[in-house]
Amino acid sequence: MLYVVRHAKAGSRHDFKGDDRLRPLSGSGKRQSEALATCLAPLVSPDSARLISSPFLRCIQTLRPLAKAIGASVETDECLAEGHGFLDVLDLLTTLPDTSVICSHGDVIPDIIGALERRGCEFLSPPDFRKASVWALDHEGSEIRRADSWPPPVIGP
């Protein structure tokens, strides 16, 4: 299984002054990232899995609690950045060890899922592209056969 995470809630793009790559998670986004870590940590192999994020701060912050929970580090890859095409991400997915996690954006992930659908991937649930949602991708070798969409974790106020 491979996991594709949409970054957790970030502060308002409109209200943020400065480089959008540096826009951090909001308070609720931080709680979502902690909840994601709780959900994913038991599923991720700390010995072999890789955690790879878009270089945007909000994606890195989304994976940090998971990295801490499993004693790993978060790598970054420009192919996961906002505005990037899906082909490089599909290539990346074929190279990852089982239980790896990637984190990207709301424009990239639907393109990845659309490409998988065109390639004959079976979908086990309706798509969910909300912030902090997860796609569990079942693969056989380099081919992704099935995809299951998980809603964002429920967090308190």
Side-chain angles (χ1 to χ4, degrees), residues 53-123:
S53 170
S54 158
F56 285 52
L57 179 60
R58 56 192 174 272
C59 289
I60 296 167
Q61 289 179 322
T62 298
L63 291 187
R64 275 189 186 147
L66 176 59
K68 183 177 178 184
I70 66 169
S73 61
V74 178
E75 304 170 48
T76 60
D77 192 313
E78 194 66 35
C79 81
L80 297 168
E82 190 172 75
H84 201 283
F86 64 89
L87 289 175
D88 290 338
V89 180
L90 292 176
D91 288 343
L92 174 63
L93 288 171
T94 67
T95 69
L96 295 177
D98 200 35
T99 76
S100 291
V101 181
I102 65 171
C103 184
S104 192
H105 301 268
D107 63 332
V108 177
I109 294 172
D111 288 349
I112 296 166
I113 299 306
L116 292 175
E117 183 176 34
R118 290 187 299 277
R119 293 176 180 199
C121 181
E122 174 188 0
F123 290 87

Side-chain angles (χ1 to χ4, degrees), residues 2-76:
L2 301 171
Y3 302 97
V4 177
V5 177
R6 179 164 181 209
H7 70 76
K9 291 179 181 177
S12 166
R13 184 183 306 259
H14 181 263
D15 294 337
F16 185 74
K17 306 298 182 222
D19 184 348
D20 191 54
R21 289 176 164 258
L22 302 176
R23 186 162 47 99
L25 293 180
S26 64
S28 61
K30 290 176 184 174
R31 290 190 300 279
Q32 283 181 321
S33 68
E34 292 288 342
L36 283 168
T38 300
C39 171
L40 290 172
L43 305 174
V44 176
S45 171
D47 297 328
S48 61
R50 293 173 61 195
L51 306 181
I52 307 174
S53 170
S54 158
F56 285 52
L57 179 60
R58 56 192 174 272
C59 289
I60 296 167
Q61 289 179 322
T62 298
L63 291 187
R64 275 189 186 147
L66 176 59
K68 183 177 178 184
I70 66 169
S73 61
V74 178
E75 304 170 48
T76 60

